[in-house]
């Protein structure tokens, strides 16, 4: 029975990952902890947890993440005041300071649990994803978290309170089956595929793959007169066919798209796995290790081709994670195994490897380690960091284009930092061989954002993409009042949709849009056709 329950509200997987780290750390302190997804939240189950650690992210403009909507609704209801009397709690909130309601979910959760009768045992943590959210998390947990948790555990036991009864789970045919161990395998053709067991996504990041709509790209065009990928001068207009749940989109909402890895990254990883381009057509399938009577948690939808698994579901633009390194370590040769062991035991070295500023790619790390091949494909696929969707504000209105969704996407790019400094740190820590420093001096291509590069360089009409719509609190005023809109670059996107709303709606009050650009001969195309000449200002 768990002493502490760690609940997470996560959209991209960061809060889930932090929760798993806390569970591992709790065990080292002699505290039995259990991680719980707020997707499974029930009021009765949550109230039965006597000590909770909440790791909750803020999504969009201060909203709860998709898996925390029911929890948020419950704790926000004043009728439930007193429902958590005596519960001990602490909150770690995650957010992005670039948004106006920064860390709103963490603050609201902290205040609500106290209002409902809970007892705060440790200060609220605040993580900023626009800076160094990992350091924020480490500072919070290293500031005395476990001492306070131990005190709370002792208090609860002294009070003689019963152990948590746990969460009640949704009933379904698959939920009645016991959970088995998912085992991936590669087969040459669909004819070799066996029936797959009942399944559910293995983690928060994987849910997008199962829930997103597959839609067709209707149009892709450049909005700048003078395009330059090298200088980051590319802004694309993308039109997608709105099918399924996407047909309910609204102006000002957001659309999340799943990008594809660069073909060069896929080719480099194929060599590491001892495979060739011809193997990309192989099928990836899953089964339960324990037999057909078990359900499993899938890392991504299967069956699928190896090409889709590597291109869509694995993030090859990142360095390997602790999870992947741990899974592959025992199958490496002796020198490499020892280096990886040093890396796994040194938190600072691991942090240096995974620095977003350095942006060490998957194949670059293994090259520095001196590994040229031999990585087990199945282990790699099962444990590789997951590709995450990127969100863009919708630049169209269903009043003008009910079956089409438009996006405006600017290329994200910058000079790529050298790997030399990072390699020196890891060599000093014994986590890389001395030869890594010289190898790290090799020139690296310019950094291009994962999704914006995919849209700017690879996406074409007729392609199929995975997309998911989210509503937004960003809307036009309900009253007929004068409106001023200000946006620069791709920031003009929502106002393009709003302009269509105004043109089709009963608005009679004046409206004006101010937008910024570097030069009128480079960036006006694609803007002027949306706005009437008398109603916009440059």
């Amino acid at each position: 029975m768990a002493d502490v329950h760690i609940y997470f509200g996560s959209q991209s997987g960061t809060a889930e990952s932090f929760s798993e780290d806390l569970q591992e750390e709790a065990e080292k302190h002699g505290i039995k902890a259990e991680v719980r997804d707020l997707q499974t939240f029930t009021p009765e189950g949550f109230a039965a947890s006597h000590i909770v650690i909440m790791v909750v992210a803020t999504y969009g403009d201060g909203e709860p993440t998709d898996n925390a909507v029911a929890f948020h609704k419950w704790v926000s209801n004043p009728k439930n005041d007193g429902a958590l009397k005596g519960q001990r709690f602490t909150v770690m909130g995650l957010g992005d300071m670039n948004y106006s309601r920064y860390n709103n979910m963490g603050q609201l959760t902290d205040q609500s649990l106290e209002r409902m009768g809970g007892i705060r045992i440790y200060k609220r943590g605040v993580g900023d994803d626009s800076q160094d959210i990992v350091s924020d998390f480490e500072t919070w947990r290293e500031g005395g978290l476990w001492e306070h948790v131990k005190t709370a555990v002792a208090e609860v036991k002294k009070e003689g309170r019963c152990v948590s009864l746990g969460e009640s789970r949704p009933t379904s045919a698959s939920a009645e089956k016991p959970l088995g161990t998912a085992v991936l395998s590669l087969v040459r053709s669909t004819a070799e595929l066996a029936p797959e067991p009942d399944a559910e996504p293995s983690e928060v990041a994987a849910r997008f793959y199962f829930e997103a709509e597959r839609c067709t790209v209707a149009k892709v065009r450049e909005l700048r007169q003078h395009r330059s990928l090298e200088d980051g001068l590319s802004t694309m207009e993308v039109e997608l066919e709105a099918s399924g749940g996407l047909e309910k989109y609204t102006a000002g909402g957001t659309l999340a798209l799943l990008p594809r890895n660069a073909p060069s990254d896929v080719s480099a990883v194929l060599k590491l796995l001892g495979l060739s381009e011809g193997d990309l057509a192989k099928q990836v399938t899953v089964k339960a290790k324990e037999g057909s009577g078990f359900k499993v948690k899938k890392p991504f939808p299967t069956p699928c081709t190896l090409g889709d698994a590597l291109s869509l579901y694995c993030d090859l633009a990142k360095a390997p994670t602790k999870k992947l390194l741990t899974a592959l370590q025992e199958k490496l040769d002796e020198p490499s195994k020892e280096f990886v062991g040093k890396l796994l035991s040194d938190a600072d070295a691991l942090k240096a490897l995974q620095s977003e500023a350095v942006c060490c790619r998957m194949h670059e790390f293994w090259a520095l380690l001196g590994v040229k091949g031999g990585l087990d494909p199945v282990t790699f696929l099962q444990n590789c960091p997951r590709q995450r969707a990127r969100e863009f504000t919708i630049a169209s209105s269903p009043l003008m284009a009910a079956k089409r969704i438009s996006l405006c996407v600017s290329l994200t790019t910058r000079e790529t930092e050298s790997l030399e400094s990072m390699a020196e740190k890891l060599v000093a820590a014994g986590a890389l061989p001395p030869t890594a420093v010289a190898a790290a001096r090799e020139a690296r291509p310019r950094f291009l954002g994962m999704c914006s590069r995919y849209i700017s360089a690879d996406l074409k009409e007729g392609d199929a993409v995975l997309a998911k719509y989210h509503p937004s609190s960003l809307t036009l005023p309900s009253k007929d009042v004068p409106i001023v809109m200000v946006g620069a670059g791709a920031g003009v996107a929502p106002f393009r949709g709003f302009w269509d709303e105004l043109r089709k709606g009963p608005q009679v009050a004046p409206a004006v849009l101010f937008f910024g650009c570097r030069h009128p001969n480079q960036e006006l195309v694609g803007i002027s056709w949306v706005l009437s000449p008398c109603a916009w200002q440059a």
Side-chain angles (χ1 to χ4, degrees):
M1 294 294 185
D3 300 314
V4 177
H5 294 100
I6 305 167
Y7 289 86
F8 67 86
S10 188
Q11 195 73 22
S12 64
T14 302
E16 181 181 21
S17 177
F18 285 169
S19 297
E20 292 170 351
D21 289 346
L22 288 173
Q23 181 186 36
E24 184 179 321
E25 219 172 83
E27 301 289 344
K28 295 177 182 177
H29 286 273
I31 301 169
K32 184 165 181 58
E34 180 182 329
V35 174
R36 288 181 172 172
D37 187 342
L38 281 174
Q39 181 86 1
T40 65
F41 163 81
T42 64
E44 300 79 13
F46 187 80
S49 300
H50 300 311
I51 305 173
V52 299
I53 299 176
M54 308 297 299
V55 186
V56 289
T58 297
Y59 174 74
D61 188 24
E63 304 302 317
T65 55
D66 288 349
N67 71 323
V69 171
F71 168 77
H72 173 262
K73 183 178 180 180
W74 183 68
V75 298
S76 299
N77 191 340
K79 293 181 179 180
N80 297 318
D81 286 3
L84 301 177
K85 187 175 181 180
Q87 182 186 80
R88 272 68 168 180
F89 74 90
T90 183
V91 177
M92 177 68 202
L94 311 179
D96 187 322
M97 195 170 285
N98 289 317
Y99 291 85
S100 58
R101 299 176 70 194
Y102 166 59
N103 231 300
N104 183 63
M105 189 61 184
Q107 184 175 354
L108 185 146
T109 299
D110 185 66
Q111 293 172 346
S112 297
L113 297 187
E114 183 178 42
R115 191 197 74 243
M116 297 173 75
I119 301 170
R120 186 183 296 101
I121 61 172
Y122 186 58
K123 63 186 179 182
R124 175 169 61 95
V126 178
D128 182 10
D129 198 34
S130 69
Q131 300 297 319
D132 191 342
I133 200 167
V134 175
S135 291
D136 293 338
F137 172 66
E138 290 174 351
T139 299
W140 173 75
R141 68 179 181 180
E142 292 170 3
L145 170 65
W146 298 114
E147 287 76 6
H148 288 82
V149 172
K150 287 177 182 178
T151 299
V153 170
E155 289 174 351
V156 168
K157 289 182 177 178
K158 187 176 180 180
E159 292 171 6
R161 304 181 75 183
C162 62
V163 178
S164 169
L165 299 176
E167 293 280 13
S168 59
R169 305 296 187 195
T171 57
S172 67
S174 65
E176 293 171 359
K177 294 182 179 180
L179 185 64
T181 306
V183 178
L184 291 179
S185 59
L186 281 173
V187 297
R188 292 189 175 277
S189 68
T190 54
E192 299 178 54
L193 293 174
E196 294 201 350
D198 294 328
E200 59 188 54
S202 61
E203 53 192 281
V204 167
R207 283 188 192 137
F208 179 90
Y209 312 147
F210 293 85
E211 297 172 355
E213 304 278 354
R214 184 173 292 274
C215 54
T216 303
V217 177
K219 181 170 72 173
V220 183
R221 74 181 185 112
E222 175 63 57
L223 294 181
R224 295 177 189 261
Q225 285 100 323
H226 302 288
R227 186 187 197 200
S228 173
L229 292 180
E230 295 76 16
D231 297 326
L233 296 179
S234 175
T235 301
M236 307 298 294
E237 179 191 20
V238 180
E239 280 193 7
L240 304 172
E241 294 182 0
S243 57
L246 301 183
E247 294 181 9
K248 299 178 181 179
Y249 89 92
T250 59
T254 62
L255 195 73
L257 290 185
L258 189 68
R260 282 183 173 269
N261 286 302
S264 57
D265 286 343
V266 174
S267 295
V269 169
L270 272 177
K271 293 177 182 177
L272 285 168
L273 302 178
L275 301 173
S276 66
E277 299 288 334
D279 292 312
L280 291 175
K282 287 183 176 179
Q283 296 287 319
V284 182
T285 186
V286 70
K287 64 180 180 180
K289 182 179 180 181
E290 295 79 4
S292 59
F294 290 77
K295 66 175 182 177
V296 297
K297 290 190 174 184
K298 290 185 179 183
F300 45 80
T302 58
C304 69
T305 65
L306 175 61
D308 276 349
L310 288 176
S311 297
L312 281 174
Y313 306 130
C314 295
D315 190 345
L316 306 184
K318 283 185 177 178
T321 57
K322 185 177 182 180
K323 177 183 177 182
L324 180 59
L325 290 169
T326 301
L328 291 173
Q329 183 183 14
E330 290 305 312
K331 299 182 181 182
L332 299 173
D333 59 29
E334 198 53 47
S336 298
K337 184 189 299 185
E338 185 177 347
F339 287 128
V340 169
K342 291 282 184 65
L343 181 57
L344 289 171
S345 64
D346 189 331
D348 290 336
L350 197 60
K351 184 178 178 181
L353 170 65
Q354 295 169 346
S355 164
E356 290 190 9
V358 174
C359 193
C360 180
R361 306 179 88 78
M362 182 66 66
H363 67 274
E364 289 178 325
F365 166 77
W366 295 106
L368 295 179
L369 189 60
V371 173
K372 298 181 179 180
L375 299 184
D376 179 64
V378 170
T379 303
F380 182 89
L381 290 173
Q382 195 140 0
N383 296 280
C384 187
R386 295 292 153 237
Q387 185 66 274
R388 63 179 180 84
R390 272 63 167 182
E391 296 216 13
F392 301 95
T393 305
I394 292 172
S396 58
S397 165
L399 297 182
M400 291 287 283
K403 299 293 184 180
R404 294 283 179 95
I405 296 179
S406 293
L407 304 176
C408 290
V409 181
S410 289
L411 179 66
T412 299
T413 182
R414 58 176 167 78
E415 292 295 331
T416 306
E417 287 190 21
S418 169
L419 292 175
E420 186 174 357
S421 178
M422 180 271 289
E424 288 174 348
K425 290 180 181 177
L426 267 58
V427 169
L432 281 180
T435 54
V437 176
R441 295 190 184 117
E442 293 185 9
R444 306 174 71 201
R446 186 178 180 84
F447 172 83
L448 300 174
M450 170 65 75
C451 198
S452 61
R453 179 214 57 81
Y454 167 59
I455 291 173
S456 299
D458 294 345
L459 194 65
K460 58 184 183 298
E461 293 181 12
D463 283 353
V465 296
L466 289 177
K468 187 176 180 180
Y469 163 72
H470 284 101
S472 170
S473 58
L474 179 64
T475 59
L476 284 170
S478 57
K479 296 181 179 180
D480 188 1
V481 295
I483 297 172
V484 177
M485 296 171 280
V486 182
V492 79
F495 303 130
R496 292 180 66 177
F498 288 165
W499 204 266
D500 284 343
E501 298 265 295
L502 294 170
R503 291 166 63 190
K504 281 289 186 178
Q507 175 91 4
V508 295
V512 61
L513 168 62
F514 294 90
F515 66 94
C517 59
R518 289 181 178 86
H519 194 280
N521 293 329
Q522 293 181 357
E523 297 181 331
L524 285 180
V525 66
I527 299 293
S528 56
W529 68 268
V530 179
L531 312 175
S532 60
C534 62
W536 56 269
Q537 298 286 333

